Amino acid sequence: MSEDKALVGVVMGSTSDAEVMQGCRDTLKEFGIEHEVRVLSAHRTPEATREYVLSASDRGVEVFIAGAGWAAHLAGFIAGLTTRPVIGVPIDSSPLNGMDSLLATVQMPPGIPVATVAVGKGGAKNAAVLAAQILALKHPPVAEKLTHYRNELTRKAVEKAESLG
Ligand code: RP5
């Protein structure tokens, strides 16, 4: 994916989040959505996170996806730096199995929302689908892929149900 034309910025708090976030990257690829990936942390590298979000917004990134575990303030921190939509993926990397990151990501105070998806790998994939739905409003090729994706989901579900007899 070319970074020059990236429409989505995928940020994760640590390299240890990479495995969970892989489904997000794969799904964005499936939709043909140009994206870039960064490992940045709200508490370990706050300045670099700020610089990235501001420069990415200037370069034309339209949606941010942020995956983080534990007291996951990454998505909220990014949301405070941009008016672009921010999708948060709570990662199940702590002893609380993601309940902590779910609450930290979803419970943004009024005014600065983070669109929070499910915990873990399922959420990472859904973050990409939600980003596609946002981008589809303005990018017809993404809208077409989304329609195809939905039709395929339905077709496969019906096929599986029919195979039961
Ligand atoms: C969070 O802390 C990261 O998003 C990660 O899920 C968790 C643990 O990070 P590491 O200690 O594995 O780097 O900031």
Side-chain angles (χ1 to χ4, degrees), residues 67-73 88-94 96-107 116-117 119-120:
W70 293 67
H73 36 237
V89 183
I91 293 187
D92 43 343
S93 52
S94 80
L96 299 184
N97 297 318
M99 187 54 82
D100 44 0
S101 46
L102 171 62
L103 294 178
T105 305
V106 76
Q107 282 292 85
T116 305
V117 292
V119 174

Side-chain angles (χ1 to χ4, degrees), residues 29-33 140-150:
K29 254 186 221 157
E30 206 179 312
F31 284 114
I33 296 172
V142 179
E144 270 170 41
K145 290 227 167 62
L146 202 48
T147 303
H148 175 74
Y149 172 82
R150 279 292 178 94

Side-chain angles (χ1 to χ4, degrees), residues 76-92:
F77 183 60
I78 291 174
L81 293 167
T82 180
T83 53
R84 308 278 155 95
V86 178
I87 302 169
V89 183
I91 293 187
D92 43 343

Side-chain angles (χ1 to χ4, degrees), residues 91-164:
I91 293 187
D92 43 343
S93 52
S94 80
L96 299 184
N97 297 318
M99 187 54 82
D100 44 0
S101 46
L102 171 62
L103 294 178
T105 305
V106 76
Q107 282 292 85
M108 285 297 287
I112 312 282
V114 167
T116 305
V117 292
V119 174
K121 289 186 175 174
K125 186 171 180 180
N126 266 356
V129 178
L130 181 54
Q133 290 176 323
I134 295 167
L135 295 168
L137 295 170
K138 161 171 169 201
H139 300 273
V142 179
E144 270 170 41
K145 290 227 167 62
L146 202 48
T147 303
H148 175 74
Y149 172 82
R150 279 292 178 94
N151 289 342
E152 278 299 289
L153 271 188
T154 305
R155 190 188 61 75
K156 284 178 192 162
V158 170
E159 200 175 273
K160 276 185 196 163
E162 283 174 355
S163 74
L164 284 181

Side-chain angles (χ1 to χ4, degrees), residues 8-12 21 24 28 63-67 74 78 85-89 124 127-129 131:
V8 176
V10 179
V11 184
M12 60 193 88
M21 293 304 286
C24 175
L28 287 170
V63 179
F64 290 92
I65 295 174
L74 181 60
I78 291 174
V86 178
I87 302 169
V89 183
V129 178

